[in-house]
Amino acid sequence: MKHNRKGINTICTHVGEVKDEQFKGAVSPIYMASSYAFEDVAVKRYPRYFNTPNQEALCKKIATLEHAESALIFGSGMAAISHALMAFLKAGDHIILQQTLYGGTYNFAVTQFEKYGISYSFTEGWTAEDFEKEIQPTTKVIYIETPSNPLLTITDVEAIAQVSKKYGFISMIDNTFASPVNQNPIDFGIDIILHSATKYMGGHSDICAGAVAASQEHIHTIWESSICFGGSLSDQTVWLLERSLKTMGLRVRAQNENAQKMAEFLLSHNEIDAVYYPGLESHPDHELAKRQMNGFGGMLSFELREGINPSEFMKNLQLIKPSMSLAGVESTMLLPVLTSHALMSPEDRFKQGIKDGLIRFSIGIEEIEDLIADIEQALARIKSKSVLA
Ligand SMILES: *Cc1c(COP(=O)(O)O)cnc(C)c1O
């Protein structure tokens, strides 16, 4: 399809700004007003209506980044996800969710749907057939996440969109791990794109926000229920997020590059048992990832050789920080079993292949040599300790 869309860094820098007509400042002014005079009765500007000048400008930037007609921004990724789900589901409906999901989304499903009379199924795997198997007469929504957290599995976005279209479902994807730089699922026919903007969009570990991108019609449906739920984002944070997005293309591409080198380093290391990264040829869905992604992202996970305590290893790192969040400019690691997936039962974790020693690694923009050196010295230190012991 022909389009006149600009390149990613041009969109990041220029699209969706509030023009400073008065002083001609180089950046968007912040409009903090929560009260606006009526322009006409049809247009009521109000932060919870998602239509302040800063909100509207940022929505335009995010919609353009995701090749979507429209977008909405929220107070967190979970607000974006829950508002989008609840806009399309009602009592008696059924939703099919991918087995491997962000911990918070999994928790939302298992603690919230039942009390609203919504039934749900988790898939066994993540192929289109796995989703088709779960279809019921009342199915309305099909929900995927790729690359997934924490094992970086890859779901065939186009195949899922086709299943969804065939049966008239609404398809949703959590596109947080890829970011709009690496993956634009609208191009493959997915209806609703969800983001935790706390992650790559914000990118500096100082913003909590969420976003939804979709067609005008679907965004309107979400908007209608979201103004009731009230999960809007303050204009100060909106402004900060707009600024952060200007460098998203640069940051994420640097993270892609670092992650690829890191994955190759870890794979070749004899103290490392397994590496999960879609950019590796050894990843079972490497070819699929190549087809649907523009880059393989800054997230990977790995397992240390049996006998090396992962908590001890992490304690000995000097540069890489243990941290719950991800996608910042700084590299971080965590153990899903103790943090992001602690609420999941051990059986469910086992079913998903999340071993107790699995380490999730969010790669930052530091020099790759320094990151590798940090891992080498941590491994050397615990080895020398265990020899002394
Ligand atoms: C962090 C995250 C979320 C939730 O976002 P919050 O901003 O923490 O509410 C959802 N999905 C994925 C993949 C995430 O990493």
Side-chain angles (χ1 to χ4, degrees):
M1 219 199 302
K2 232 178 112 83
H3 60 76
N4 52 6
R5 200 182 296 122
K6 300 268 192 295
I8 187 97
N9 284 321
T10 314
I11 298 170
C12 284
T13 325
H14 289 291
V15 176
E17 303 221 287
V18 182
K19 272 225 161 64
D20 180 359
E21 302 286 0
Q22 198 178 359
F23 300 109
K24 316 287 182 216
V27 301
S28 298
I30 312 181
Y31 289 87
M32 285 302 293
S34 62
S35 173
Y36 290 83
F38 292 121
E39 288 169 33
D40 65 70
V41 251
V43 187
K44 300 185 199 79
R45 281 196 196 277
Y46 188 55
R48 182 165 49 78
Y49 290 176
F50 303 87
N51 61 1
T52 66
N54 291 92
Q55 287 172 333
E56 281 185 345
L58 178 58
C59 287
K60 188 168 173 219
K61 198 191 269 294
I62 291 173
T64 310
L65 283 167
E66 276 297 11
H67 307 177
E69 284 174 7
S70 193
L72 284 177
I73 38 171
F74 294 88
S76 70
M78 281 316 300
I81 291 166
S82 58
H83 286 46
L85 286 169
M86 297 319 264
F88 289 99
L89 292 166
K90 60 179 189 317
D93 287 347
H94 173 253
I95 172 174
I96 305 170
L97 299 140
Q98 181 173 317
Q99 171 215 75
T100 43
L101 280 189
Y102 172 72
T105 311
Y106 170 86
N107 203 32
F108 179 82
V110 300
T111 63
Q112 302 300 309
F113 281 147
E114 206 179 314
K115 64 188 188 198
Y116 297 104
I118 297 159
S119 60
Y120 59 93
S121 311
F122 285 104
T123 56
E124 283 287 322
W126 45 90
T127 66
E129 295 76 55
D130 289 317
F131 282 84
E132 265 189 298
K133 253 192 270 170
E134 304 298 334
I135 293 175
Q136 295 184 11
T138 53
T139 303
K140 288 282 151 61
V141 174
I142 189 163
Y143 188 103
I144 62 171
E145 187 175 319
T146 180
S148 73
N149 178 27
L151 286 170
L152 289 304
T153 61
I154 302 294
T155 307
D156 189 331
V157 174
E158 191 167 21
I160 298 298
Q162 278 167 4
V163 169
S164 180
K165 279 195 191 349
K166 181 167 147 198
Y167 294 93
F169 305 150
I170 299 283
S171 53
M172 299 191 186
I173 184 171
D174 185 331
N175 206 31
T176 302
F177 265 37
S179 92
V181 181
N182 289 329
Q183 187 167 271
N184 301 115
I186 293 253
D187 296 347
F188 295 98
I190 297 285
D191 296 313
I192 316 273
I193 318 300
L194 303 160
H195 278 284
S196 169
T198 313
K199 312 296 165 52
Y200 288 104
M201 286 189 175
H204 296 73
S205 309
D206 55 8
I207 289 175
C208 186
V212 180
S215 69
Q216 224 137 34
E217 188 193 339
H218 286 144
I219 288 294
H220 186 71
T221 303
I222 298 168
W223 179 84
E224 281 181 311
S225 62
S226 295
I227 59 169
C228 304
F229 290 128
S232 57
L233 187 64
S234 100
D235 282 297
Q236 249 165 12
T237 312
V238 167
W239 183 88
L240 204 50
L241 184 52
E242 188 216 304
R243 192 187 72 161
S244 302
L245 280 167
K246 292 187 188 193
T247 58
M248 180 176 65
L250 294 176
R251 285 188 275 107
V252 170
R253 283 174 177 170
Q255 284 162 313
N256 287 347
E257 204 175 302
N258 269 356
Q260 183 71 38
K261 287 182 185 155
M262 179 56 74
E264 284 165 13
F265 160 76
L266 291 172
L267 190 69
S268 69
H269 202 290
N270 54 15
E271 306 286 352
I272 311 290
D273 260 359
V275 185
Y276 305 89
Y277 184 64
L280 290 175
E281 272 171 32
S282 58
H283 187 289
D285 285 317
H286 175 63
E287 287 306 316
L288 172 60
K290 253 173 42 188
R291 246 192 348 263
Q292 66 188 27
M293 301 181 81
N294 311 313
F296 300 113
M299 298 298 301
L300 63 83
S301 53
F302 65 97
E303 287 153 17
L304 295 166
R305 182 172 58 73
E306 197 133 359
I308 307 179
N309 182 318
S311 297
E312 268 312 301
F313 163 72
M314 281 169 58
K315 258 188 237 155
N316 282 284
L317 293 165
Q318 292 176 335
L319 191 61
I320 302 162
K321 293 183 190 139
S323 163
M324 184 73 177
S325 202
L326 58 101
V329 290
E330 72 285 1
S331 293
T332 62
M333 281 186 193
L334 63 70
L335 282 167
V337 66
L338 299 181
T339 51
S340 60
H341 289 66
L343 292 173
M344 190 176 274
S345 71
E347 300 79 57
D348 281 349
R349 272 201 305 268
F350 179 77
K351 237 172 56 189
Q352 294 198 9
I354 302 168
K355 295 191 185 155
D356 286 356
L358 185 79
I359 296 174
R360 191 187 75 187
F361 194 173
S362 169
I363 317 283
I365 62 167
E366 302 94 333
E367 299 304 325
I368 187 68
E369 293 76 17
D370 295 331
L371 295 175
I372 287 176
D374 195 25
I375 290 171
E376 297 269 35
Q377 68 78 28
L379 285 170
R381 286 222 299 201
I382 40 179
K383 238 172 138 181
S384 67
K385 270 186 212 157
S386 59
V387 169
L388 290 175

